[in-house]
Amino acid sequence: MLTTLPFPVRDANAQSGDIPLEGLPEWDLSDLYASQDAPELSRDMEWLEKACADFAATYQGKLAGLDAAGMLACIEAYEQIDLIGGRIMSFAGLRYYQKTTDADRAQFLQNCQEKITVFTAPLVFFSLEVNRIDDTVLDGWFADNAALARYKPIFDRLRAMRPYQLSDELEQFLHDKSAVGASAWNTLFDETVAGLVFTVNGEDRGLEATTTLLSDKDRATREAAAKEIARVLGENVKLFARIHNTLAKEKEIEDTWRKMPTPQTGRHLANHVEPEVVEALRNAVVAAYPRLSHRYYELKRKWLGLDVMQVWDRNAPLPMEDDKLVDWPDAEKIVMDAYADFDPRMAEIAKPFFTDGWIDAGVKPGKAPGAFAHPTVTNVHPYVMLNYLGKPRDVMTLAHELGHGVHQVLAADQGEMLSSTPLTLAETASVFGEMLTFRKLLSKAKTTAEKKVLLAGKVEDMINTVVRQIAFYDFECKLHAARAEGELTPDQINDIWMSVQGESLGPAFEFMDGYETFWAYIPHFVHSPFYVYAYAFGDGLVNALYAAYEEGYAAFQDKYFEMLKAGGSKHHKELLAPFGLDASDPDFWAKGLSMIEGFIDELEAMED
């Protein structure tokens, strides 16, 4: 954790950039450190260097000989190192995301990352030695010491990597070079994207401000924005192809050395999810394309009065949609009311985000695009980043990110090593919070047109979260498979991109020249390979979970809070069991997808 940029992957439906609103909240990062020159930061950096060296001197080569109490002390020392290193990197990373074009912030982040990579190098032995300990020794420790047994999930995850572990020397080498490997290419990608300039209707804009125009009410503006994105990406496609080629090859080399059977194996292990469960999800969604995206976009084509839709019509507002903006106080009230209606405890947890400087909402030059919630460390609190423009979908993004924040606050009691939720479950509270807010708005709809706009917006978000992300996953699978055969030209990557677009979006669309390069700006492919299926996993899981809530499942709220509090301490099977759900059951995904179908049924019924 400590050796890489703490990049909080941007959410699937986050949109941003256009005319900034006034009076929006900004982060107060002083809960981490007052400034990059704060004496507390220097103190912690010095402490970290000594603590890592002391840890290695105390424990290296001795883990198997410890008793249960000794191993508990070892784990607690490691957790404290994790905490301090995570605090430093969170502060450096969040400052950078506020203004990625600031050279001083970028330098500070890189310097912190390089120092911590050096400091933590002596810790590499830990996971390697743990994986050489006999199972009977571990079982004895857990039987003897309940406090240590709480950390069993950590040992289970480490030992899941045993078949793929390299020699101590090679693991040390990979650790030492991490700061100039993938993370350096990630930084190049971020800085390149942040520096792109798009000119639409005579006005220069950043990427986020330009992609927002793809949902503008004026079709000519949407078309101009799409063509300008294509032009700029086309001019830079060689660099983006180089980044993807290099990262995919680096991953292939490491996977080959580790003898991982597929490029996706590492992600599945990190997510604590079985490959067959992901494959069942993927297959269920692909099979449902005609019933979901194809059917919905055909409806939308008719609403827009078009013979065929262009890519710039995909996120177009409906003709009957009100373009009134939602100011920040109203957005806060909408989301907080929805949370409080579900359970007052949820609103209480969410309140400090608005009152204590835990949200950075404004659109500012150089700010990282999209939206995220970063948990920082368990003895501080999460921070939420938005690019809020007052559009209805921005309100849903606020509900989504606040859900992440609530989840992270609740899981913090697990401690630094057990609080982190695998990606497949990390979207649970966010999507659930979004659904609560959507249902609240839907219940207040006064006209059929208003209800149609809300339903259509929700369906589009769900398609973007489920259909589009599975298409992205297929793109990545094909990209990595093709890269294993050799270097890919930009045209070859473009062809892979287009091979999944028509299949997922359906016959209502026509694809303009230049759309083939739109893979180039998507950060998930660069920062977290194969991350994207987690969105579909989370949406399907929450749809099934919300159905149980609507059906009045006994003590639902209490069980829901217990699930969020578990953080990363339990497997998805154990977390879902209290709700009578099982993600390994093929019917589970069908249940989640049926909710989207039900919304489309309602929209079709409104046409009669």
Side-chain angles (χ1 to χ4, degrees):
M1 170 185 166
L2 306 183
T3 60
T4 57
L5 176 68
F7 181 80
V9 179
R10 296 151 194 151
D11 275 311
N13 291 326
Q15 297 187 22
S16 60
D18 198 14
I19 301 171
L21 300 177
E22 299 296 325
L24 295 174
E26 294 187 352
W27 282 332
D28 176 3
L29 297 179
S30 63
D31 287 344
L32 292 165
Y33 297 103
S35 71
Q36 70 178 61
D37 300 317
E40 293 84 1
L41 196 153
S42 299
R43 176 204 66 200
D44 284 353
M45 193 70 88
E46 290 173 9
W47 179 92
L48 187 66
E49 182 177 20
K50 184 175 186 303
C52 292
D54 290 349
F55 184 90
T58 303
Y59 293 110
Q60 188 165 10
K62 303 169 187 173
L63 294 188
L66 295 175
D67 59 14
M71 177 50 76
L72 177 61
C74 174
I75 287 287
E76 289 172 342
Y78 191 97
E79 193 163 37
Q80 188 62 25
I81 289 170
D82 217 13
L83 192 72
I84 297 300
R87 188 186 194 111
I88 294 170
M89 288 306 299
S90 291
F91 175 73
L94 292 174
R95 280 186 77 250
Y96 171 72
Y97 299 134
Q98 283 183 302
K99 196 169 185 180
T100 61
T101 52
D102 186 318
D104 288 339
R105 295 184 188 217
Q107 181 188 50
F108 177 69
L109 173 62
Q110 184 65 22
N111 286 342
C112 286
Q113 190 165 332
E114 289 181 4
K115 284 181 181 179
I116 290 177
T117 298
V118 172
F119 296 168
T120 57
L123 307 185
V124 171
F125 80 91
F126 179 75
S127 60
L128 306 178
E129 280 194 38
V130 165
N131 284 348
R132 288 197 289 265
I133 296 172
D134 191 87
D135 288 341
T136 57
V137 174
L138 280 177
D139 292 341
W141 284 344
F142 300 142
D144 290 345
N145 192 307
L148 179 62
R150 193 176 78 82
Y151 290 98
K152 184 177 184 297
I154 299 298
F155 288 88
D156 291 343
R157 285 167 207 160
L158 286 175
R159 290 164 81 81
M161 285 295 296
R162 272 196 294 182
Y164 315 110
Q165 189 168 290
L166 301 175
S167 69
D168 291 11
E169 188 176 30
L170 278 174
E171 294 288 357
Q172 187 73 55
F173 169 74
L174 290 174
H175 174 95
D176 289 351
K177 83 167 190 67
S178 61
V180 293
S183 65
W185 289 95
N186 290 348
T187 301
L188 174 63
F189 173 86
D190 286 344
E191 291 177 350
T192 301
V193 168
L196 294 178
V197 177
F198 304 81
T199 306
V200 182
N201 298 335
E203 181 183 349
D204 289 346
R205 294 166 170 259
L207 175 65
E208 289 294 311
T210 308
T211 56
T212 294
L213 295 180
L214 297 176
S215 56
D216 195 90
K217 211 158 195 173
D218 180 61
R219 192 169 191 237
T221 298
R222 297 198 305 270
E223 179 179 358
K227 290 182 174 177
E228 178 65 359
I229 292 169
R231 182 189 69 80
V232 174
L233 292 181
E235 290 178 354
N236 292 274
V237 73
K238 288 183 179 179
L239 175 58
F240 288 118
R242 169 58 47 223
I243 292 170
H244 281 69
N245 267 293
T246 303
L247 287 172
K249 186 62 179 178
E250 183 186 54
K251 186 178 190 312
E252 183 207 350
I253 291 168
E254 184 170 334
D255 286 350
T256 299
W257 276 85
R258 292 190 183 281
K259 297 183 171 57
M260 287 194 172
T262 72
Q264 299 83 5
T265 298
R267 176 61 59 204
H268 299 335
L269 287 168
N271 284 344
H272 321 140
V273 66
E274 301 75 16
E276 56 271 19
V277 172
V278 178
E279 190 65 13
L281 163 65
R282 181 264 171 201
N283 292 342
V285 173
V286 171
Y289 283 170
R291 307 193 308 275
L292 301 179
S293 48
H294 296 189
R295 188 158 63 112
Y296 172 74
Y297 287 128
E298 182 58 27
L299 272 176
K300 186 166 186 175
R301 182 190 65 75
K302 293 176 183 175
W303 294 334
L304 294 174
L306 301 172
D307 293 327
V308 64
M309 288 175 70
Q310 301 290 342
V311 292
W312 56 79
D313 299 315
R314 185 172 64 83
N315 288 324
L318 302 187
M320 71 290 290
E321 193 166 330
D322 188 349
D323 57 4
K324 182 180 71 173
L325 297 181
V326 182
D327 65 22
W328 182 254
D330 286 345
E332 177 181 347
K333 185 175 186 334
I334 289 166
V335 176
M336 289 291 280
D337 285 352
Y339 276 28
D341 285 353
F342 172 71
D343 193 298
R345 290 174 290 179
M346 184 174 283
E348 192 63 29
I349 295 166
K351 186 178 179 181
F353 285 86
F354 295 98
T355 60
D356 294 359
W358 299 5
I359 299 177
D360 195 301
V363 177
K364 291 167 280 190
K367 183 177 176 180
F372 61 72
H374 183 51
T376 70
V377 286
T378 53
N379 62 352
V380 186
H381 56 75
Y383 283 92
V384 163
M385 195 198 82
L386 307 169
N387 280 274
Y388 188 83
L389 290 165
K391 297 185 178 182
R393 281 186 177 172
D394 292 335
V395 179
M396 301 306 288
T397 299
L398 170 61
H400 183 105
E401 301 307 336
L402 205 58
H404 277 307
V406 167
H407 195 172
Q408 291 159 358
V409 169
L410 285 168
D413 286 344
Q414 291 291 339
E416 202 63 27
M417 295 180 75
L418 285 168
S419 62
S420 181
T421 310
L423 295 181
T424 41
L425 295 168
E427 294 299 321
T428 304
S430 55
V431 178
F432 197 87
E434 202 175 336
M435 182 66 80
L436 291 171
T437 305
F438 163 71
R439 292 291 192 179
K440 179 79 173 176
L441 291 171
L442 193 65
S443 69
K444 292 187 170 185
K446 296 181 177 64
T447 65
T448 300
E450 191 178 347
K451 185 176 181 181
K452 180 187 280 190
V453 168
L454 284 167
L455 275 171
K458 185 60 179 170
V459 168
E460 288 197 15
D461 283 346
M462 293 171 109
I463 286 173
N464 284 338
T465 304
V466 178
V467 169
R468 193 155 172 78
Q469 302 306 315
I470 289 299
F472 284 177
Y473 177 66
D474 277 356
F475 167 76
E476 286 191 276
C477 291
K478 291 182 177 183
L479 175 72
H480 283 260
R483 182 63 182 92
E485 300 299 317
E487 175 84 5
L488 298 174
T489 66
D491 285 344
Q492 287 173 314
I493 301 178
N494 293 347
D495 289 344
I496 294 170
W497 172 256
M498 293 307 298
S499 74
V500 301
Q501 292 302 300
E503 179 187 21
S504 62
L505 294 177
F509 280 94
E510 190 172 85
F511 298 99
M512 69 170 190
D513 289 341
Y515 181 67
E516 64 274 7
T517 63
F518 274 43
W519 55 269
Y521 73 85
I522 297 170
H524 308 75
F525 303 152
V526 172
H527 290 283
S528 289
F530 306 106
Y531 173 94
V532 288
Y533 74 73
Y535 289 124
F537 194 108
D539 199 88
L541 187 154
V542 168
N543 289 346
L545 199 62
Y546 199 88
Y549 168 57
E550 284 191 316
E551 292 161 8
Y553 205 83
F556 183 93
Q557 280 88 335
D558 288 340
K559 291 176 181 177
Y560 179 74
F561 278 104
E562 286 305 309
M563 178 176 69
L564 300 188
K565 287 177 183 177
S569 67
K570 295 181 180 178
H571 188 266
H572 63 79
K573 211 172 185 72
E574 190 178 356
L575 287 172
L576 291 174
F579 304 95
L581 300 171
D582 182 357
S584 62
D585 181 350
D587 291 339
F588 175 85
W589 301 115
K591 187 172 186 176
L593 294 172
S594 69
M595 180 175 286
I596 309 176
E597 288 186 69
F599 288 157
I600 299 173
D601 289 343
E602 287 188 60
L603 287 168
E604 285 183 337
M606 292 179 185
E607 298 299 288
D608 297 337

